[in-house]
Amino acid sequence: MEPTISFFSGFQLSDLWYLVEAAWSTMLISVLSISIGTAFGIVFGWMLYEGKLTAALTLGPLLDVFRSVPLIIQLVLFYNFAPIIGLSLDPFLSGVVILAIYCASLVANVARGGIEAVGTSMRRASRSLGMTYWQDLRYVVLPIGGRAVFPSWVGVALGVMKDSALVSVLGYIELLKASQILITRTQEPLLILTIAGAFYFALSYPISRYAASLEKRWAL
C-alpha cells in the first residue's frame, strides 16, 4: 500500500509529486507568457510613445480592451472561438497566447513610462554626440528607462504568474487545477491548499528577492 502523510490518511506521497508536476506546468506557461508578452509589450510601448495621436487612437484602445476585460473571459472566448477561424489550439497554447497578450497590454504602458522617464535633454545630448536613433534607444533609453520601471515590470510578471491559475478553466492541469482535483478526491482542502500556496510562494519569492538585489546594486 502506498505510504500516506501522517494525520492525513487521504493524501499520498504520489499526490505530492502530482503537485510538483503541476507547479512545473505553472512555471512553464508563466515563463513563456511573460517572455513573449514582455517582448511585444516593449514594442507596443515604443509604438505608443512614438506614434502619439495615431497609436493612441488605434493601438491604445485595443490594449485597453485586454487590460479591462476579465482574463477568464478572454481565455474562454479565445479557446472557443479559435476553432471557428481554423486554429486548433490545446489549452496550453491557448493559455500562452492570451496570457502573453494580456502581459503585453500591461507591459506596454510600463515600457512607455520607461521611455518617458528619460529626459528629452539627455536624448538630445546623445544625438549631438553622433548616436543614431537606434543607438540612443539601446545605450541611453534602455538602461536608464529600464531601471526606472523595472519594479513595475516585476509586479506585472508576478501578477501574470498568479493569473496563470485561470487557465485551469480550459482544462490545463496547473497548480490550482491539480489542487482542486486532489481536494475532491482526498477531502483534505487545508493541507492541499497549504502545499499549493507554498509552491506559489517558492515560485514568486526568488523573483522578488532577485529583483530587490538588482535594484540595490543599481542604486550603488
Side-chain angles (χ1 to χ4, degrees):
M1 184 176 179
E2 189 171 358
T4 59
I5 304 297
S6 179
F7 303 113
F8 298 97
S9 58
F11 189 84
Q12 302 175 348
L13 290 179
S14 60
D15 296 332
L16 181 61
W17 179 249
Y18 183 62
L19 288 176
V20 171
E21 293 178 329
W24 168 256
S25 298
T26 293
M27 185 176 68
L28 180 61
I29 196 172
S30 298
V31 169
L32 285 175
S33 302
I34 293 169
S35 299
I36 297 172
T38 297
F40 278 97
I42 292 173
V43 175
F44 293 156
W46 171 77
M47 293 172 62
L48 289 173
Y49 176 80
E50 293 293 346
K52 304 299 182 183
L53 182 60
T54 302
L57 295 176
T58 54
L59 181 61
L62 180 61
L63 296 178
D64 286 338
V65 169
F66 287 100
R67 281 195 297 265
S68 304
V69 176
L71 187 56
I72 191 170
I73 295 178
Q74 297 181 42
L75 288 165
V76 173
L77 287 178
F78 178 77
Y79 184 65
N80 289 279
F81 181 73
I84 298 177
I85 60 176
L87 295 177
S88 181
L89 301 179
D90 59 19
F92 173 76
L93 290 178
S94 297
V96 168
V97 170
I98 293 301
L99 284 175
I101 296 175
Y102 177 69
C103 179
S105 68
L106 298 176
V107 172
N109 276 343
V110 173
R112 181 176 61 178
I115 298 174
E116 293 174 346
V118 182
T120 304
S121 59
M122 187 175 297
R123 299 196 65 182
R124 287 176 179 171
S126 66
R127 300 299 293 275
S128 68
L129 292 174
M131 287 188 179
T132 65
Y133 174 81
W134 299 110
Q135 287 175 328
D136 171 47
L137 285 180
R138 178 179 178 183
Y139 296 110
V140 178
V141 176
L142 182 60
I144 298 176
R147 292 184 183 187
V149 299
F150 182 70
S152 299
W153 176 83
V154 172
V156 170
L158 293 177
V160 172
M161 178 179 290
K162 288 180 285 189
D163 288 339
S164 66
L166 297 176
V167 185
S168 61
V169 300
L170 306 182
Y172 180 65
I173 308 298
E174 45 69 62
L175 192 52
L176 180 61
K177 183 69 172 181
S179 300
Q180 293 173 335
I181 293 173
L182 291 181
I183 289 174
T184 301
R185 183 178 64 78
T186 65
Q187 297 301 307
E188 298 288 355
L190 181 60
L191 172 65
I192 294 173
L193 291 178
T194 299
I195 295 174
F199 276 125
Y200 276 115
F201 178 79
L203 292 174
S204 303
Y205 185 71
I207 298 176
S208 300
R209 295 310 305 162
Y210 180 67
S213 68
L214 277 182
E215 291 181 56
K216 185 180 295 186
R217 187 185 312 168
W218 288 339
L220 295 178

